[in-house]
Structures are given as structure tokens and as C-alpha cells.
Amino acid sequence: MKDDKHLTEEVFDGNEITGLQGQFKTWFLDYASYVILERAVPAIEDGLKPVQRRILHAMKEMDDGRFNKVANIIGQSMQYHPHGDASIGDALVNLGQKDLLIETQGNWGDVRTGDDAAAARYIEARLSKFALEVAFNAKTTEWQLSYDGRKNEPITLPMKFPLLLAQGADGIAVGLSTKILPHNFIELIEASIKYLRGKKFELFPDFQTGGMIDVTDYNQGKRGGKVKVRSHIEELDKKTLLIKSVPYGVTTEQMIESIVKANDQGKIKIRKVTDNTAADVEIQVDLAPGISPDITIDALYKFTSCETSISPNACVIVDQKPQFLSVQELLKISADNTKELLKRELEIKLAELNEKWHYTSLEKIFFEEKIYKELEKKHENWDKVIAAIDKAFVPFKKQLKRDISREDILKLTEKPVRRIYRLDIDELNAQIKGLEADIKQVKHDLNNLTDFAVAYFENLLKKFGKGRERRTEIRQFEVIEARNVIIANTKLYADRSGGFVGTGLKKEEFLFECSELDDIIVITRRGIMKVIKVSDKTFVGKDILHVAVFQKNDERTTYNMIYVDGKTGISYAKRFNVTGVTRDKVYDLTKGDDKSKVHYLTVNPNGETEVVKITLSPNSSARIKELEFYFEELAIKGRSSMGNQVTKYPIKSVKFKEAGRATLSGRKLWFDDKFGRLSAEEKGQYLGMFEPDDRILVIYTDGYYEITDQEMTQKLDAEKVLLIERFDPEKVITAVYVDKKLLQFNVKRFKIETSTLKNKFLFIKEGEGNYVECAATTAEPVLLVQSGKGSQIRSAKFKLAKMTDVMGWKAVGAKLTDYNKSVVMEWVEHEKPTSQQELF
């Protein structure tokens, strides 16, 4: 008996595996190769996994134009697929749900809700017309024996379409996986045409479930890339949200579970969630009282399955090996493969036409030259008859394209011999002429193969493109910070004398509600400042003066402070901001002595100042024991600054006397029209300098106006925003809108009379298709109106302030001009009209 060393070292003995290590090496490799090649990863030639290919081949064998029971299709497929009926049934349902190659009948389930298909005996299927056109051609198919050697099955189907990119693919093998996202049918055909024409093209995923997709990091579908997918969420009213789609790979049931979980964890606040999905997805989310719908929408994207991230990984089988490619490379390979298949089909067709032309020409000569009479002569034997006919063709062989074979003559002798009429010869001539025209066309197509392939794709688009428009909207998503949208539902407490802050100090002073993601800033009487995470209990220092949620990079919140330096006894005043700090680091806001103490501290969100009354110690040698101090005289400096000297005498108390003015200028605001957000970071349209109480006017193209505040978390419908600016209640709004019922442009001028914030009010005539063409708040608006085309363009300028009186915001307005799609309007500066313009 061999020892263990010999057992592991000896791997092969002829064809027999004798070592355990050798068995693991070869068996595992065989198994991995089998799973990769035969089960999980699609082939590049037709974009199909073996089970899918065998199902389609079985359905082609059964195809008679009628629907077949899925149970029967599974049975037929089992002749080719060496696995159980469950795997075939699942693959068949998956193909049917993609609505491309297979027409379905019955309950096939729903990828949006996760509902399963009915049992195989209850549902039916047949190949679609599209599948019959692009996936099958026995003459160009390469065949192999099935697993039991009884039948032939295709190695790959002759697929003349980028099916892999249209359907997508998902598979997990041994040590390998593939994830190819589905793409749009029409865009794939258009990209194929562009590639064949030598033009550049781009491809991005498109999902049956709709929704939105951010393809910024798609990386052409290669490893390392990713896409973000979102649901469409609509605000029905201030208390209700409607989720109108689900992200790819997420079901309505999974989404509802994720929303309930986020609510249970305190990340969002809702009253209830209801699934109203029928023909279209609709999940209704009822909000808790006082909860902002804009913040909740962002929170749904951040904390639930309303937004998911998908990492594509385009792996396919090329020459019996897995390869990682981009979607552009897959499209190019597919287009080249289609072109090659079309070439082979044309070559086969040309050979068949030539063969038919050859035989028809033989037949014509056979009858026209009366060669058939050789059959009536008394030859010694049949071979002599064949030889005589062959000899009779000798004078005409130059008219033919190839030699005459014995088979050709035998085929001619099988035709019934009767009296030949001129009409018979004319019919043969017509057939030959038609064949020659067909041969000429096929040769032309072969010589212009690119044009032929382009025409083929254009025909596919014409026949099958209707109703296959893009469903998933491509847009860039803004980055949502969790701390900005998480609901503040964690109660924070403080033991001021003991110096503790935390959520677990429920017997101490309640401070405020915050979220578990917030940072907390704390300042003590000693002048120590720390920024800490929300926790159960944290020691920050005794005699706590100030506790608040810390906002990083906040350059407006200003701290006004008076403190005494413990070493010298001199008191100083300072104003400072706290923008960026290191969490849990101790910062000393005084000169650093342990006996230093803060006399006075206020926190001002917009740099407000105050006047304070300072009372000195009665034992001090100061002549004047009371004085006033004005913080507005101090400049705002860094938190480590010493400050300005207030007094060298001991201070008994510092008390607030009166509020001062804000020393900070208003903040600059922009409207980021990409995401529909207000911004202080110079993104988008500049709105101006805003004071804290300023409001914003928004006018939408659908005829609504809204007065809103400067809250950065609110989201405006950027696609509908026509005008946005600082709200001035004294300004007159001039608007021109379309009345589709009367087919005219109306003009109206009005002032805002409502005061409710964040409520939309319809200020144009209600009616289907009505919309605002333009709006302005200038005192003397002049509108340029152009209509017509080419040399027939007519333009006019209207001084609308003189044409129309100011009316109520609900008024219909007055007619300006007739409605016409070619009319173009724009605001202009008042100027004298040219010879082609009229000024009204």
C-alpha cells in the first residue's frame, strides 16, 4: 500500500486517475468548464444559453402557426436538453416575459410584481414573427448530435440581430458570472446601422419596468462600471406620494418591504403604504403629518429599493472560452455576424438561382431543339439514349454556365413528353429572364453587402419597431446625503452640570430631536468645544453652555462670545464661525488657561449681532461699574482668535440688552435646473442675493405659480420651470398662454394675491393642452412675435403693458393672436420697428 505522499503525487496512470489531488484537479475543472460553457454564460454568436437555444429549436420544430401548450414545448425540449423539466420551464417563462422571441397566451406572471406564471399545462406559446425572421435558417445553421445521439440540434442559431443586448443575460457559473443589461430594440438597430456606416454610436440600458437610469459610470457595460436605477415618484399632494415604476430587478413586493423597513428604522415617516398596481405600477405612500414630501422622496431613493445600483459584467463565450467585452464590442460583433450570415444566405440563394437557371435553360433547349425526340428512337439500351441526348446538347453547351451532368439528363427524361407549343417555349424564356434578373440583383447585393445589411436592419425596424420605444428615462442623479434626508426622530438629552450628552439620558434635560447620522457640537463654560457623534452617552465637559446639530461648512452661523482669560483676568470678546472640525477633538476657544471661563455666548444663524450690558464686580477698582458692548464693532474671525479686549477688570455678569443688525450680506442663490434644486454653489441660473426672509417666485409652463422659501432640500419640477426669481409682491407678472380650445394666444397681467407658501395656483384658463408660452416681471415688457417660414416670415412687437390692464390672478386674459405651431415668441428690449415689423 502506498503512503499518503505517493498518493497525492501520483496523478495519472494511463487514463486512470489514481491520486486524490489529481481527481480534484480534473473533476473540478471539468465541472467548472461544463457550467460555464453549457449552462450559465451565453454564446456570442446568437446570445443564447444552451437551454434557451434548445427551447427555440424545439419550438421551431413544432411551429405550425398555432399556440402550443408550454407543457408540450417542455417535453419537446427535453429531447435536446439533458436536465429536468423545471429548468426548461423556468427558462421558457423567462424568454416569454421578455416579449421578443415568444408570443404568449395565458398568465405568464409579471416581472414588476414578482407574480409567478401559471402551471405549464395552462399557458401557451409560439414563436413570434420576429423570431422566425431573425433566428432560423436551416441552410446556414451548423448542427451537432443531441446528447443521446438520436437527433441533430444547432450549435448556435443563425441570429441576425443583437439579441444578447436586447434581452440581456444573467448567470452565475463556477468562479465566473455574467450580467448584461437589456437595451432598447430601436436603439440597437439604429446603432447597428451607424456601425455599418462607419459612424460612432452609444448604447445605454433600457428596461421593461421603465423608471430612470443614471449611466454616468456605465463604462460601456464592462467590469467595474455601474448604473443607478430609480423609480418615478410623483407628488400627488402634500400628504401623498405615488411610486409609478419599479427599478430593474425589484418587485413591488420587495419595494413595499423596503419602505416599511425604512419606516420601522426611523429613516422615513409614513402613515401607510398601499399597492394599487394593476395595468400600471402604482404604490401609494401616505406621509405622516408635517413631513416634507420633497425630503421623503429623497429619503425613499436613499434608504429603500426605490433606487438600486447595478454592476454590469458583460461576459460571453467566444471560441469556447469566456471573454469580457463591452456592449460596443458586442454590438459590432453582432452586426458583423449578421452581415456574414446575410452574405452566406445570398451566396446560397445565388447558387440555387444559377442551378435553376441551368436546368431551365437545359429544358428550353431540350424542347426547343427537339432533343426529346431521341427518346422516341430505337437505341440499343438506356445508356445509349443518355449518350445520344448528351451528344445532341453539344452545339449548345457554350450557352450554359457549367457542364451537363448525367443527373441533369436523367431529370429531363423524367418529364412527360407531349407536343410542345410556342407558348411553352415563351414561358421558359420568361422564367429564364426572371431568373437572370434575380441573379443580377443577388450579385448586386453581394457587391454592396453593407447597403444590403443596412436595408435589412431598416426593414426590421419598420416591421417590428412599433411600440418598442425607450421606456427608461436617462438622466443624471444628484448625490443624496443621508444626513440631509433622514428623519430626525432620535431624542437627545444633556446632563449640563455633569457634562454628559446622549440619547440614553432620559431622566435629564431634553434638548431636541436629531438623527443618528447627525454630528453634535458642544461648548462648555470652560470654553471647550467638541463635535461628537450621536451616541447613548458621551462625556464632553462639565457646565455645558451650548448643544446643537453641527452643520459642516456653515459660513453663516456666527458665534458671539465674551470670556475671561484665567491667567491674566482680562476679558475678551470675539465673533467666529465653525466650518470644519475633526470629530471628537478638543478645541479651546479661550487663550488656553484652565481657569478661563465663558461669560456670554450666543449662536446667530445669519451673523446677527447684539448689544450687551456688562456689570463689573463691585470690588473692582473701576470707576464705572456698568458698560455696554456692541458686537457689531467686531469682525468675524477664526475660532482660535484671541478676540478684542473688553475690560481688564473682573466681570460680575453679562446680559443681553437689545438685538443688533445682521452683519452678513445676503447669500447668493442659484437654481440648478439639472436637478431642480436651489444651490449656493454657483450651479445653474443665478437668482441673486437673498436675505433670510426673502421668498422665491416660480412660474411653470403648465400654468401654475408657486411662492416658496429658500429651503435647499425642496425639489422643483425643472422641466416645467419657466421663470424663477426673487418674489416681489409689487411686481406685475405678464404671461402669454395658449388656449387650445379657442386656438389662440391669450395675454394677462396680474399681481400675486396669495400668501400660502409651497402651494401651486393655476393662473391660466383651465383646459386640456393649455400651457404658458412666456412670462416676465419687467415693468414695460415688449414681446416679439414671429410667424411663417422662409421669405414669408412676419414679425410684430407688442408693448403688452399698454395693451392690457392689470387684472386678478384668476382672470382669463385677452386675446393676443391666433395660435399657430410656427409662432415664435421672445422678450426684447423696446426699440423702433423695422420696415418688416409692426409695433402695437
Side-chain angles (χ1 to χ4, degrees), residues 563 574-576 589-591 637-643:
Y563 72 93
K574 60 192 287 188
R575 302 181 72 212
F576 60 93
L589 301 177
T590 71
K591 290 185 69 176
K637 297 182 179 179
R639 62 173 178 267
S640 59
S641 65
M642 178 177 68

Side-chain angles (χ1 to χ4, degrees), residues 357 360-362 364 427-437:
W357 180 91
T360 306
S361 298
L362 277 180
K364 174 194 167 189
E427 184 181 343
L428 290 170
N429 282 328
Q431 289 181 24
I432 292 170
K433 189 174 181 181
L435 289 168
E436 288 174 345

